[in-house]
Amino acid sequence: ALYVNNNQYNSSVLSYSPGSTNRNIGIGAIVPAGDNKFDGIIDEVMIFNRALSTDEIKFLSQYPGCP
């Protein structure tokens, strides 16, 4: 789900398995070429190894920087 200012903006189900190779994660551009760069500000990015519940996401939006 995508949240903007503590409100759910969009939701979809994604599945990703990185496999056994080391790959870069691109935030704001397509890796490795760096194409389609996002023209704006991206802040407070967190990556988790599991799906978060709606309550967990709301908590994190109320207390930034508290993983």
Side-chain angles (χ1 to χ4, degrees), residues 10-67:
N10 197 350
S11 179
S12 63
V13 176
L14 301 173
S15 177
Y16 174 74
S17 177
S20 61
T21 61
N22 293 329
R23 295 183 181 183
N24 293 329
I25 295 175
I27 298 174
I30 297 174
V31 173
D35 295 338
N36 294 330
K37 293 181 180 169
F38 177 76
D39 185 21
I41 296 172
I42 300 173
D43 66 349
E44 299 180 34
V45 174
M46 292 184 230
I47 299 173
F48 296 89
N49 62 355
R50 63 179 179 83
L52 300 180
S53 70
T54 301
D55 288 338
E56 289 172 313
I57 293 169
K58 287 182 181 180
F59 175 84
L60 291 171
S61 70
Q62 292 169 353
Y63 302 99
C66 182

